[in-house]
Amino acid sequence: ARPRVGYFYSGKSPRALIAEELRKLRVKDVKAVPVVVREGTSVYDAVVTMFLEDVGTLIVVNEEGFLEGVISRKDLLKVTLGQTDIHKVPVSVMMTRMPNIITTFPEETVYMAAKKLIEHEVDALPVVRTLVDSEGKEKLEVVGRITKTHITRLFVELGEAE
Amino acid sequence: ARPRVGYFYSGKSPRALIAEELRKLRVKDVKAVPVVVREGTSVYDAVVTMFLEDVGTLIVVNEEGFLEGVISRKDLLKVTLGQTDIHKVPVSVMMTRMPNIITTFPEETVYMAAKKLIEHEVDALPVVRTLVDSEGKEKLEVVGRITKTHITRLFVELGEAE
C-alpha cells in the first residue's frame, strides 16, 4: 500500500525529530524585556522592584546601561534574614558580578540557554549584545532576559495540539 | 520515487508530532521528592530549610503528613521585609492553604502540570495522591513536587540529539 501524502522523516525517530525542531528555536524568539536596577539601588528598593515587576531576578546595570550584575530572589532572601540595614546597603554588595554572570545572546538557541539555566543552577539569564568600545574593551548591552518561566511556557505551547 | 524506509507520520506536521510526544510524558516520570515542613515551623527555620535543601518552594504538611499549605521564596521574602519576628511567627500564617493550592498527580501529563505552573503563576506544584478517610473526607498525601526547573531540565533532555 502506498503511504498517504504527508511528512516523511527518513530514519528519524520521533525523539530525534523533536531534538531537531527544538534546536531551531532562538532566544530572540522568546526573550522578555529586562528588568534592571542601578548598582546603587538599596536592597529594600530592589525587593520592592522585584514585587512590582513580578520577576525573580533583577539585572544590575551601570550608569552607561551596561551589564554589571545579577541579583536573585534567593540572594535577597539571604540578606533580609541577616542584620543588614536593607535601606542603606546597595545591591552591588551581594550581586553576582562579571565574569561570573551567565549570559545568553539573541541568536543562541533556546536549547543552549535552557542548558545554561540547568547547568549553572540559575533562574534567569540576561540576554546581551557584545559591544567593543574605543579602547577595545568588551561591554555587554542588556537587551532582554530569559527565565525558566519562559522555557516552561514554551513547553506548554509545544504541547498544544495544532 | 519510493520513499526510503523510515518513520512515516501521515499528514502530521513536525509541531503536531512534538505535541503528541510531549503529551505522553507523565508527572511520575519527572517528579522529585517533596521538601516538607510542619505547620508550626517558624519562618526563620523555613528559610533555613529552603537554603539547605536548595528549593524555591516548601510544602507544608499537618501532623498526619497530609497537605496543608505551600510557601514560596516570594512569600518568605515578603515576610522578612516586614516587622514580623521571623523566629516566632509560624509559616502557617502566610502560607497558601487548601483549597487554593494548585496540585498535580503522578498520572497527569507533564504538559498539564506545566500549563498549571504558567496559568496559576507558581514555581512548583505538590504531586499528591487523594485518599478518602473513614468519614468520606478527602486527604491529599504528598508524594512529590514538580517545578519549572524540572520542566526546563526536560526541555534540555528533549533537545539532546540521540
Side-chain angles (χ1 to χ4, degrees), chain B residues 72-86:
Chain B
S72 70
R73 214 175 259 158
K74 193 171 161 183
D75 297 326
L76 291 172
L77 187 57
K78 200 178 285 175
V79 180
T80 59
L81 208 63
Q83 301 301 315
T84 314
D85 183 342
I86 60 172

Side-chain angles (χ1 to χ4, degrees), chain A residues 98-112:
Chain A
M98 290 305 289
N100 299 321
I101 306 171
I102 313 302
T103 62
T104 182
F105 50 95
E107 298 298 329
E108 189 162 53
T109 62
V110 176
Y111 161 74
M112 268 308 298

